[in-house]
């Protein structure tokens, strides 16, 4: 029975890892893809606007 207790943790971790990969693959694209892309585009636009505005002066 020692071999069962030795193999159980790796088997459980492998099953959980496969589950995580399946969730990641299933959530790619689909109905939320346009909404997620819009959120990323907005974040990039905010970062570029902040970068173009110039660094804040810190020697006051």
């Amino acid at each position: 029975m020692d071999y069962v207790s030795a193999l159980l943790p790796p088997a459980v971790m492998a099953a959980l890892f496969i589950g995580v990969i399946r969730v990641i693959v299933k959530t790619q694209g689909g109905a939320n893809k346009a909404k997620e892309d819009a959120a990323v585009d907005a974040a990039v636009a905010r970062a570029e606007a902040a970068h173009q505005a110039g660094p804040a002066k810190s020697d006051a």
Side-chain angles (χ1 to χ4, degrees):
M1 289 304 286
D2 288 337
Y3 63 90
V4 173
S5 62
L7 291 177
L8 187 60
V12 170
M13 290 301 293
L16 291 175
F17 181 73
I18 290 169
V20 167
I21 297 300
R22 288 185 61 170
V23 167
I24 290 172
V25 169
K26 281 186 175 185
T27 57
Q28 298 299 310
N32 290 330
K33 183 166 177 40
K35 184 170 63 171
E36 292 170 356
D37 289 346
V40 170
D41 290 341
V44 168
R46 282 193 306 268
E48 287 178 353
H51 180 69
Q52 289 178 356
K57 292 185 179 180
S58 61
D59 12 279

